[in-house]
Amino acid sequence: MLHAQHNCENDQTDVLIIGSGAAGLALALRLAPHIQITVLSKAQLDAGSTSWAQGGIAAALSGAEDIEQHIQDTISAGVDLPDPAVVRTVTESGPEQIAWLESFQMPFSRSGEPDHSLHLTQEGGHSQRRVAHAADHTGRSLMETLMAAVKARSNIRILEHHIAVDLITARRLGATQDCCLGAYVLDVKSDCVRTITSRFTALASGGAAKAYLFTTNPDGTTGDGIAMGWRAGCRVANMEFIQFHPTCLFEPRAKSFLISEAVRGEGGVLLRPDGTRFMPEHHEKAELAPRDIVARAIDAEIKRLGIDCVYLDISFKGKAFIEKHFPMIHKRCLEFGYDMTREPLPVVPAAHYTCGGLMVDLDGQTDIPQLFAIGETAHTGLHGANRLASNSLLECLVFAQRAAAKIEAQLERPQPAIPEAAFIPPWDESRVTDPDEAVVVTHNWDELRRSMWSYVGIVRTTKRLNRAQHRIDLLRREIQEYYSHFRISSDLIELRNLVEISDLIVRSALTRQESRGLHYIRDFPYTNPRARHFNTVLTPPPARPYQSAGEQVDKKALF
Ligand code: FAD
Ligand code: SIN
């Protein structure tokens, strides 16, 4: 049946922010109150990874020496690939970001000392205690803090359950000079597509770890922002560096619940089933080695011994200590029958963080004028081949502040008017029908994530990557075909993005012919010192133009 779908009301705004995690909300708050801002979340406001963050926010709070050490730790965890200028900018800004959050009453944990200073925890790859946190629910507290501040600002409009489908760009409208003009957005509850035009658009839509079967991330981390930016004409970099967190609770009912690295930071040790430690055999820093090394060591032990999981033990610290430092983890584990105050927890690695993303400069500017990317969506150059623990939230905050300053400076200059939505081709679904077989989406979703897990995981080979590429090519064609025939839904939008992301990950992994950080490939087991400045940059094909402004557009021909 042909379904002629109505378009819902169009919208205009000064700044459209696609994503409401730490990056998106911090950007909204950093922009001046006279600027009209619209923030989208494809689900509820706190649906992103930020809410799930545990360990904390890395910040060198004890002076210049600490900043130099934070720089060294970041570059060393990133295996020499991080951009030193970016690392310096971000680390130097750490204390200011923490102070900014405190100005909103962020409830950081405090030490018991008389000065009541911030309690700093320790995580892998950090040479000293440097991670500010709110017990083990830093992300939840951070989101509550930012959401309260955003809701108090009348210039910030929040649209929950609105999923951006694609960016609207001048080039796609036939102009020779490109810029971003807004986005097509599916209002999930009303099931209609809005055209939102804006002077500036910021992609703050998080990472893409959902490309893998087992992940620590919430459901929506399907790389939408990276895929939208790529389709619109932005380059991506270093997509092969997918970080696997070493310690997820091995419990199917828990859907990959993270056991924070801070548990190891506070003394936790990793054990084989027979109770022996193994990390000292793998790295001099043992359990506090950088994450890629710990995840690979666990993977090696699991494969060598033919076991399902290893164990993380902190029970020897006692009940009072554990309840004070890890109240949320302790409670959640108890729900599944594990008491970490009395016994080791079963743990396995899972996909956790996307180090690569849309290429941006030091202000979060992408390749397309008026389009910014911040947070996990962006590749800033901070993380290199492996992100240092708790550097992500810091990066979200720093780049939100810098992007806000850049947008404000540009807004002060004479601006072309925001194009009336009426001049943008409306989203046209007149030639598509209601989906007839939803099972195609669920089946492809599952097959894609399973292939990524099996062939593009912690240890890679060229043969396995080629196998993955072959499957992705087939799935891609099938998903494109499905997309061009049927009305869009959140699931279909996400699946289309996920297959694009998987393709980018595999192509990047095949391009890097060395092992470095998170990319370990058996055919090239060594790190090539000459590749220390080599970023895997992929350039998209030219974005297809719209037929012409104002004309009805065939979605199939467009995307
Ligand atoms: P997110 O917080 O993921 O937000 C993405 C937003 O984009 C959401 O609002 C989502 O609804 C929206 N969105 C996505 N696609 C669309 C679309 N198409 N249309 C509209 N909206 C869209 N990092 C640290 O530094 N310290 C930690 O302790 C830490 N712990 C972590 C623990 C866990 C379990 C996880 C999963 C991650 C952790 N990280 C940590 C990483 C860190 O939390 C994330 O990298 C960071 O929160 C990403 O923030 P973000 O704003 O970029 O994206
Ligand atoms: C954790 O608490 O282990 C996660 C920290 C991070 O991903 O930075």
Side-chain angles (χ1 to χ4, degrees):
M1 183 192 70
L2 274 182
H3 182 113
Q5 191 196 3
H6 69 287
N7 285 51
C8 42
E9 248 173 61
N10 294 327
D11 239 320
Q12 273 194 354
T13 187
D14 290 331
V15 183
L16 174 64
I17 302 176
I18 302 175
S20 62
L25 294 191
L27 172 58
L29 288 168
R30 288 287 191 178
L31 287 164
H34 66 271
I35 298 171
Q36 290 308 311
I37 299 160
T38 301
V39 179
L40 306 182
S41 174
K42 63 180 171 181
Q44 73 281 10
L45 198 57
D46 59 355
S49 291
T50 302
S51 302
W52 294 29
Q54 296 183 358
I57 306 172
L61 294 168
S62 50
E65 215 173 287
D66 191 9
I67 287 174
E68 293 309 315
Q69 203 54 58
H70 192 180
I71 291 171
Q72 281 318 310
D73 291 348
T74 301
I75 291 175
S76 155
V79 197
D80 297 331
L81 198 56
D83 179 333
V86 176
V87 178
R88 180 166 289 284
T89 301
V90 173
T91 50
E92 282 182 348
S93 182
E96 185 193 343
Q97 301 303 328
I98 299 295
W100 184 70
L101 290 176
E102 287 197 282
S103 75
F104 293 109
Q105 275 75 53
M106 165 85 185
F108 284 114
S109 294
R110 307 250 154 207
S111 68
E113 288 159 24
D115 66 350
H116 209 53
S117 56
L118 293 188
H119 178 267
L120 302 176
T121 192
Q122 170 75 295
E123 289 184 277
H126 288 274
S127 54
Q128 62 191 73
R129 286 182 175 268
R130 186 188 289 130
V131 179
H133 63 106
D136 59 352
H137 46 76
T138 308
R140 161 85 9 233
S141 297
L142 176 60
M143 279 306 287
E144 282 167 4
T145 304
L146 297 176
M147 286 192 301
V150 160
K151 284 176 181 166
R153 290 265 297 263
S154 60
N155 65 319
I156 302 175
R157 198 165 56 119
I158 291 160
L159 295 178
E160 291 180 303
H161 305 285
H162 276 68
I163 176 166
V165 185
D166 259 308
L167 297 169
I168 301 167
T169 61
R171 188 155 285 165
R172 279 175 165 177
L173 289 171
T176 42
Q177 282 222 321
D178 209 4
C179 67
C180 185
L181 302 167
Y184 291 116
V185 177
L186 174 69
D187 176 342
V188 179
K189 293 212 160 151
S190 313
D191 195 22
C192 58
V193 177
R194 247 176 243 291
T195 304
I196 304 185
T197 48
S198 54
R199 288 184 204 279
F200 292 93
T201 302
L203 293 163
S205 33
K210 203 73 192 174
Y212 289 84
L213 191 58
F214 301 109
T215 169
T216 63
N217 284 203
D219 280 343
T221 49
T222 47
D224 297 3
I226 301 174
M228 282 189 281
W230 168 260
R231 283 195 294 270
C234 298
R235 288 169 304 160
V236 298
N238 289 354
M239 288 297 290
E240 68 274 32
F241 296 123
I242 298 293
Q243 183 170 73
F244 289 78
H245 196 291
T247 57
C248 260
L249 188 66
F250 179 64
E251 166 56 61
R253 290 171 299 160
K255 263 190 99 182
S256 303
F257 176 66
L258 183 80
I259 308 297
S260 176
E261 192 152 304
V263 171
R264 279 174 281 133
E266 296 297 339
V269 288
L270 287 162
L271 305 173
R272 300 184 180 102
D274 66 3
T276 53
R277 269 179 86 188
F278 55 89
M279 273 317 299
E281 295 162 28
H282 291 268
H283 196 270
E284 62 193 9
K285 290 187 178 163
E287 280 81 3
L288 287 180
R291 232 171 241 183
D292 56 325
I293 291 162
V294 182
R296 222 161 22 245
I298 295 176
D299 185 67
E301 291 291 329
I302 287 176
K303 287 188 176 137
R304 190 175 67 82
L305 297 171
I307 50 179
D308 288 331
C309 62
V310 295
Y311 294 86
L312 176 58
D313 189 19
I314 193 166
S315 58
F316 51 85
K317 284 285 209 172
K319 198 165 186 286
F321 180 90
I322 291 169
E323 283 180 345
K324 177 168 179 229
H325 288 268
F326 306 111
M328 189 269 291
I329 297 174
H330 175 44
K331 185 165 168 279
R332 188 89 177 113
C333 289
L334 276 179
E335 286 165 21
F336 298 108
Y338 301 104
D339 184 349
M340 66 192 283
T341 67
R342 300 159 65 99
E343 61 192 336
L345 297 172
V347 291
V348 285
H352 181 63
Y353 185 83
T354 313
C355 292
L358 296 176
M359 284 181 77
V360 295
D361 69 10
L362 254 177
D363 299 317
Q365 170 72 61
T366 68
D367 288 336
I368 298 179
Q370 291 161 229
L371 179 66
F372 288 75
I374 51 174
E376 203 172 327
T377 301
H379 172 269
T380 62
L382 176 67
H383 309 306
N386 175 40
R387 173 176 66 93
L388 182 67
S390 289
N391 263 357
S392 170
L393 292 174
L394 176 62
E395 183 191 44
C396 288
L397 297 169
V398 174
F399 275 83
Q401 182 186 20
R402 297 183 65 87
K406 186 72 183 282
I407 289 171
E408 280 185 20
Q410 291 187 25
L411 275 171
E412 276 165 21
R413 289 197 234 122
Q415 289 289 312
I418 310 177
E420 290 284 338
F423 292 107
I424 308 278
W427 184 259
D428 181 5
E429 295 219 318
S430 60
R431 280 174 257 184
V432 294
T433 61
D434 286 328
D436 57 355
E437 284 190 308
V439 66
V440 173
V441 174
T442 42
H443 180 84
N444 284 349
W445 179 273
D446 188 62
E447 188 178 339
L448 180 65
R449 297 178 64 219
R450 222 168 260 286
S451 301
M452 289 298 286
W453 182 259
S454 306
Y455 303 133
V456 198
I458 296 173
V459 175
R460 300 164 178 177
T461 66
T462 305
K463 195 170 159 191
R464 282 188 213 154
L465 291 175
N466 282 326
R467 201 169 276 168
Q469 185 70 74
H470 180 63
R471 276 169 176 69
I472 288 166
D473 288 345
L474 291 174
L475 285 168
R476 205 154 173 245
R477 278 200 290 277
E478 205 169 303
I479 292 163
Q480 279 302 338
E481 168 84 4
Y482 195 88
Y483 182 82
S484 59
H485 281 99
F486 298 111
R487 291 182 62 213
I488 48 170
S489 63
S490 296
D491 284 350
L492 182 53
I493 293 167
E494 290 185 342
L495 177 62
R496 173 179 175 243
N497 291 332
L498 220 46
V499 79
E500 196 82 78
I501 295 293
S502 303
D503 180 58
L504 293 173
I505 295 172
V506 173
R507 279 167 54 197
S508 306
L510 281 165
T511 305
R512 184 172 289 281
Q513 301 202 330
E514 61 158 352
S515 287
R516 183 179 293 269
L518 298 160
H519 176 66
Y520 181 79
I521 178 158
R522 284 223 185 102
D523 313 67
F524 307 98
Y526 300 109
T527 303
N528 177 359
R530 281 180 301 175
R532 63 177 296 189
H533 300 302
F534 171 76
N535 290 305
T536 312
V537 177
L538 300 182
T539 306
R544 284 185 177 176
Y546 293 123
Q547 289 173 324
S548 69
E551 215 175 297
Q552 287 287 301
V553 174
D554 179 0
K555 175 159 76 76
K556 201 168 149 193
L558 263 182
F559 304 114

